[in-house]
Amino acid sequence: MAEDSIGKGECVLEQTAVFSLFKGLSVQKVMELVHHLERYNSDVFFEKKQTSANGKSMLGMMSVFTTIRIGDKVHVRARGTDASTLISSVHSFLEDAEAAEETLGYWEEEGMETVEKAMTASLHNWTPEVRNVAKSYLKTTRH
């Protein structure tokens, strides 16, 4: 954590944190997170592998959080007067989001089952690289 003094007795904090996630966030959850972060004065950035996004940018956050695979690490960097509170808030939000079960509609369930059956049935015809991607997908979508 770094601190800089700025005018009028305010102190700017810079904090970083790393979170390991087991699944990506839904579009709705990403929107909720962005709206939640807009309440803070601090600047916040999320980084995953070579992707970086401003925490207050809807499109940037979609690119980071909707593509998470099992065990991906997301780095969060906040800089501002309320950076510490912001980091704690992100931690709580992500824990709650991972714990929540999302309810799928009938057609979404049917689509997932159809894709899983097709992928599982054709696994023996795939190259090792394609097989690993499919297995990763199946692990992240099963309940």
Side-chain angles (χ1 to χ4, degrees):
M1 171 173 53
E3 292 185 22
D4 295 329
S5 293
I6 60 175
K8 300 178 183 155
E10 291 184 24
C11 197
V12 175
L13 301 174
E14 182 167 319
Q15 289 213 311
T16 59
V18 179
F19 301 99
S20 286
L21 302 172
F22 292 100
K23 63 180 180 179
L25 296 180
S26 67
V27 172
Q28 180 65 33
K29 285 292 182 190
V30 173
M31 290 171 51
E32 288 176 24
L33 178 58
V34 170
H35 290 304
H36 178 75
L37 294 173
E38 288 172 345
R39 298 180 202 149
Y40 294 90
N41 294 323
S42 293
D43 294 325
V44 60
F45 292 89
F46 291 81
E47 299 168 0
K48 182 190 77 160
K49 296 182 183 173
Q50 287 91 19
T51 305
S52 179
N54 180 335
K56 298 177 183 178
S57 164
M58 194 69 68
L59 289 176
M61 292 292 281
M62 293 287 181
S63 71
V64 170
F65 280 100
T66 58
T67 59
I68 288 177
R69 298 271 190 254
I70 293 174
D72 276 354
K73 294 192 183 326
V74 176
H75 298 260
V76 183
R77 187 178 72 247
R79 181 176 170 81
T81 55
D82 56 358
S84 179
T85 308
L86 187 147
I87 293 287
S88 296
S89 175
V90 167
H91 184 263
S92 296
F93 184 93
L94 293 176
E95 279 185 344
D96 293 346
E98 285 221 319
E101 282 288 325
E102 294 201 29
T103 307
L104 299 177
Y106 173 78
W107 294 111
E108 291 169 318
E109 281 286 339
E110 287 295 311
M112 275 182 49
E113 286 179 22
T114 302
V115 168
E116 284 186 15
K117 285 178 187 174
M119 288 175 68
T120 304
S122 61
L123 259 172
H124 66 280
N125 294 327
W126 294 347
T127 65
E129 294 82 17
V130 173
R131 190 175 300 117
N132 288 336
V133 170
K135 285 180 182 177
S136 176
Y137 171 79
L138 291 171
K139 286 178 186 174
T140 60
T141 57
R142 288 191 177 143
H143 299 296

